Amino acid sequence: MRQPVAVYPGSFDPPTNGHLDIIVRATHLFPKVIVAVTDNSNKNPTFTLQERKKMIAEAVRRYPTVTVDTFSGLLVDYMTRKKASVIIRGLRAISDFEYEFEMALMNRRLNKRIEAVFLMPDEAYTYLSSSLVKEVFSLGGSVSGLVPESVEKSLKRSG
Ligand code: COA
């Protein structure tokens, strides 16, 4: 049986230790994990696509089965190009469920061979989000322990 390639898509603006937690969990389940940073987010990102890709690449350096890539357009089309069949998403709380449910069903409608797999991050990260990290940092709070070191450095440079 062919081993499935898993894609963990997101805007990662910036990546947090919660994202990293999900990536590590995915490496325990799948032989190859692609972290795919999207450029078509309507979120008006703080960091450029290449900055976000670089931050994740630094954070996952010690995991040889993880690669980091960027994509635009539909996720399912990107996955077809990469011969990937599993979408990894994190579920932090019930509040994530509805949004994730909608996306998973839409992706299934677009390509019925693609499955979504939901992983729960460590409970220490259930309240974490990229926007909260940026807000706390911009108001002078410490984000140490919430983001990888490379991200903390980038936040300091951008601030
Ligand atoms: N730890 C910490 N934060 C987490 C997290 C975790 N484990 N899981 C999610 N989050 C946070 C993120 O930090 C982010 O916070 P923010 O809103 O403050 O920025 C939020 O949850 C969700 O972000 P993310 O996981 O990056 O996903 P997204 O909603 O930005 O991106 C895509 C969703 C990229 C998967 C989706 O838009 C997509 O597939 N786009 C491609 C186009 C497409 O195919 N569209 C049709 C989809 S059906």
Side-chain angles (χ1 to χ4, degrees):
M1 200 178 85
R2 223 177 68 207
Q3 298 284 343
V5 174
V7 170
Y8 181 29
S11 44
F12 304 107
D13 185 44
T16 68
N17 282 345
H19 293 124
L20 194 57
D21 180 283
I22 297 291
I23 294 169
V24 174
R25 283 172 203 284
T27 64
H28 298 154
L29 296 172
F30 300 99
K32 191 172 171 210
V33 177
I34 304 173
V35 182
V37 191
T38 182
D39 75 347
N40 63 355
S41 167
N42 38 25
K43 282 182 168 174
N44 195 14
T46 305
F47 294 99
T48 67
L49 190 64
Q50 289 309 319
E51 283 170 330
R52 287 178 274 150
K53 181 183 172 188
K54 196 167 162 225
M55 284 188 268
I56 301 172
E58 279 181 40
V60 301
R61 223 173 9 201
R62 80 185 87 135
Y63 303 101
T65 56
V66 179
T67 54
V68 188
D69 195 10
T70 59
F71 76 102
S72 55
L74 282 178
L75 174 63
V76 292
D77 291 342
Y78 170 77
M79 292 184 63
T80 304
R81 290 198 295 278
K82 291 287 165 183
K83 298 186 173 36
S85 56
V86 174
I87 301 171
I88 301 287
R89 293 288 291 168
L91 271 188
R92 292 163 298 172
I94 294 287
S95 50
D96 282 344
F97 179 77
E98 206 168 318
Y99 173 56
E100 294 298 336
F101 189 68
E102 276 175 17
M103 279 203 299
L105 290 182
M106 180 57 81
N107 283 325
R108 180 182 286 169
R109 187 175 186 279
L110 293 169
N111 185 333
K112 64 180 184 310
R113 279 190 287 273
I114 288 178
E115 288 295 345
V117 171
F118 297 95
L119 301 176
M120 279 180 289
D122 188 285
E123 63 194 41
Y125 304 128
T126 48
Y127 58 91
L128 196 54
S129 75
S130 301
S131 318
L132 260 188
V133 163
K134 285 187 280 190
E135 184 175 333
V136 168
F137 181 82
S138 70
L139 298 173
S142 169
V143 294
S144 175
L146 301 180
V147 294
E149 256 176 52
S150 56
V151 173
E152 211 176 328
K153 280 187 200 144
S154 299
L155 281 167
K156 283 181 183 148
R157 273 199 300 272
S158 75

